[in-house]
Amino acid sequence: EPARSMHARPIGVLISCSCAMVAGSVGAIQAPAIPLRAAALALAAVALLRAFLVLGQRASSGSLSRSLQSLFAPVSLAFAALVGLTGCLALLGPAPAGLQVLLVAYAMTVCASVGVGNAARPLLAIGQMALTFLPIMGRIWKQLPGLQALVVLTDSWAGVGSL
């Protein structure tokens, strides 16, 4: 029945949320800058909310189940935005290298796994992937001028291939 299919792999969402709660907690403890601390705490809180939505929706029926299901997409987008933001803020500020690796690596795993979990909802998957990846990519873009040249080169080759 449709009300039982909030996510293709609910256990995957719960594992992702558990990892986000750990990454967010570590970020909140280790971050030297207040914006990163706040984003990391918000990530942990939204991950907890997301886990409750999945568990609550699966345990309920009727209008409550549908209401919880309707909240899944916006909460998932907020979650993805916070994942991307924490990764970006870790690269922006004076965060320890280990924390940078943790938050950026977690963001990239979320980005890679979203397409699988939300394959039936491509707009949600694309939105989550963009919100997770683009903030980090934007920060890296500013740090690495050589990357800009690579993208220009790639774009020019893609243009040649489409002629």
Side-chain angles (χ1 to χ4, degrees), residues 101-114:
V101 170
L102 172 70
L103 294 175
V104 171
Y106 177 70
M108 294 303 97
T109 59
V110 167
C111 185
S113 66
V114 159

Side-chain angles (χ1 to χ4, degrees), residues 3 9 16 18 21-22 36 50 54 60 69 73 76-77 85 89 100-101 107 114 117 119-121 129 134 141 143 150:
R9 296 187 179 128
S16 175
S18 298
M21 286 184 263
V22 170
L36 179 54
R50 198 167 178 239
V54 170
S60 63
Q69 187 175 6
S76 291
L77 291 171
L85 179 65
L89 289 174
Q100 290 179 350
V101 170
V114 159
R121 292 173 296 227
M129 291 169 77
L134 291 178
W141 182 271
Q143 283 181 305
L150 177 64

Side-chain angles (χ1 to χ4, degrees), residues 17 21 43-55 68 71 75:
C17 290
M21 286 184 263
L43 173 63
V46 171
L48 186 62
L49 173 61
R50 198 167 178 239
F52 279 126
L53 282 175
V54 170
L55 293 173
L68 293 174
L71 293 172
V75 170

Side-chain angles (χ1 to χ4, degrees), residues 5-128:
S5 61
M6 179 185 286
H7 194 275
R9 296 187 179 128
I11 191 73
V13 174
L14 296 176
I15 291 169
S16 175
C17 290
S18 298
C19 292
M21 286 184 263
V22 170
S25 299
V26 169
I29 291 167
Q30 287 193 354
I34 291 173
L36 179 54
R37 267 192 223 149
L41 279 173
L43 173 63
V46 171
L48 186 62
L49 173 61
R50 198 167 178 239
F52 279 126
L53 282 175
V54 170
L55 293 173
Q57 190 269 334
R58 292 184 66 79
S60 63
S61 62
S63 63
L64 177 59
S65 179
R66 286 187 296 279
S67 294
L68 293 174
Q69 187 175 6
S70 70
L71 293 172
F72 184 74
V75 170
S76 291
L77 291 171
F79 173 77
L82 284 167
V83 170
L85 179 65
T86 55
C88 180
L89 289 174
L91 295 174
L92 277 172
L99 183 58
Q100 290 179 350
V101 170
L102 172 70
L103 294 175
V104 171
Y106 177 70
M108 294 303 97
T109 59
V110 167
C111 185
S113 66
V114 159
V116 174
N118 287 323
R121 292 173 296 227
L123 290 178
L124 178 59
I126 291 167
Q128 284 180 287

